[in-house]
Amino acid sequence: MTDRRTGGAAHDARTASRPSRGRDARRDRALHRFLTDSTPVVSGGRAILLQIADPVVATGVRRHSDFARRPQQRLVHTLMYVYAVVVGTPEDAALAASFVDRAHRPVAGADEVDRQLWVAATLYDSAIRTHRLLGTTIDDDRAEAVLRAYAPLATALRVPEERWPTSVAAFETYWATALAGLRVTDDARGVVRDLLHPRLAPLWVRSAMPLVRIVTVGLLPAPLRAQYGFAWGPREQRRFRRAVAALRTVRAVLPAPLLRLPSPLLLRAMRRTAERHRSRR
């Protein structure tokens, strides 16, 4: 069981997931570069739509999140949590878990192990699939290493360590079973309207939405896309391919430090938020 005050389980699992320096320091650095890459930003919308396809998650998000006014907030908070737990310090991991815990308190069923496991699984699957879509070569060893590195996303929220899949093959089995049990509800569709068609969001958010919509919908598994009722035919497929090609081109020319910039920025933002909360007490 995770001690959220110390971040113990998140720290132990994360430390165990990293190769020792003596054994393969170069491999360790390569994994760290992969984990701090900003690619998960592209798949953030996909992860959210997968998460809310669980009716319990959808109800909680619909009733307790301000998607209509701040549709980007859940994405930012999700990315903060990922970077804090996977590449942050033990203190960052504990802080991020405490924020999630506080947000879940009024939401019935949000702390159920199956819900937390599913949310963490969507983050791993979305990261791996989007990296591959944008041109990253991921061999079996790298996929297994990333799976181990993402385990604390679940264990930091009280998912027992033994529930996190121990191999990519085990993850794929779990994933297929979980996908088959999803059911898109009206709550989920309401969240999607606020997320993908934000009327009250800042102008820069609304300007980016055509690209966000086509990428998010295109990344979804086809059966889930149909459950949401998204139109998807040859025209949408062509737009998706063009959007992916553009993203791959931009990603290829951006300097590596810029690709990893969201990680430290989001961690600093999370720490500042924590300081503001402390100063109000």
Side-chain angles (χ1 to χ4, degrees):
M1 190 170 182
T2 301
D3 184 344
R4 299 195 186 193
R5 294 169 297 177
T6 64
H11 179 221
D12 293 344
R14 187 171 61 250
T15 301
S17 73
R18 293 175 176 168
S20 65
R21 291 183 182 177
R23 188 169 69 229
D24 198 340
R26 285 179 300 177
R27 192 176 184 182
D28 192 21
R29 288 195 295 271
L31 176 59
H32 188 266
R33 287 195 295 270
F34 182 97
L35 296 173
T36 54
D37 189 282
S38 59
T39 296
V41 174
V42 175
S43 58
R46 175 197 193 257
I48 291 172
L49 265 63
L50 284 162
Q51 291 164 16
I52 62 174
D54 180 305
V56 175
V57 178
T59 298
V61 171
R62 182 66 168 163
R63 296 179 183 177
H64 298 278
S65 295
D66 188 13
F67 261 84
R69 291 185 179 276
R70 294 184 291 177
Q72 72 278 16
Q73 184 182 52
R74 185 176 176 90
L75 174 59
V76 169
H77 289 174
T78 297
L79 292 170
M80 278 183 181
Y81 179 70
V82 171
Y83 288 128
V85 174
V86 174
V87 298
T89 66
E91 292 76 18
D92 289 331
L95 180 59
S98 72
F99 281 164
V100 174
D101 186 38
R102 190 178 302 118
H104 285 176
R105 283 174 193 164
V107 183
D111 278 337
E112 293 175 4
V113 168
D114 287 345
R115 306 286 86 73
Q116 301 289 23
L117 177 60
W118 172 242
V119 167
T122 68
L123 299 172
Y124 168 77
D125 186 81
S126 295
I128 289 291
R129 291 179 187 274
T130 308
H131 265 284
R132 284 176 169 150
L133 185 70
L134 296 185
T136 305
T137 300
I138 304 175
D139 60 19
D140 292 344
D141 287 344
R142 173 55 51 82
E144 297 283 353
V146 175
L147 181 70
R148 291 192 297 272
Y150 269 54
L153 295 176
T155 59
L157 297 176
R158 297 202 192 107
V159 174
E161 282 189 42
E162 62 271 17
R163 289 291 306 275
W164 185 252
T166 56
S167 68
V168 171
F171 180 88
E172 293 297 340
T173 297
Y174 160 78
W175 185 256
T177 301
L179 275 182
L182 296 177
R183 181 171 57 86
V184 174
T185 62
D186 288 342
D187 278 332
R189 293 185 186 95
V191 172
V192 168
R193 283 193 297 272
D194 291 338
L195 178 66
L196 297 184
H197 300 274
R199 294 173 299 146
L200 304 176
L203 179 60
W204 69 269
V205 173
R206 285 181 279 131
S207 299
M209 289 318 298
L211 177 63
V212 171
R213 280 193 292 270
I214 194 64
V215 171
T216 298
V217 176
L219 284 170
L220 285 176
L224 199 60
R225 197 159 53 217
Q227 279 202 54
Y228 273 111
F230 292 122
W232 195 259
R235 178 171 174 266
E236 288 78 17
Q237 187 64 44
R238 286 193 299 271
R239 290 180 59 209
F240 177 66
R241 285 198 298 267
R242 287 197 295 268
V244 170
L247 288 171
R248 290 184 72 154
T249 299
V250 171
R251 188 171 181 267
V253 300
L254 281 178
L258 276 181
L259 284 174
R260 295 192 290 273
L261 188 59
S263 172
L265 290 179
L266 288 168
L267 289 177
R268 277 199 287 270
M270 182 187 71
R271 293 166 191 152
R272 286 197 299 268
T273 299
E275 286 298 326
R276 286 197 298 270
H277 286 175
R278 292 190 194 104
S279 66
R280 292 171 188 163
R281 292 176 183 171

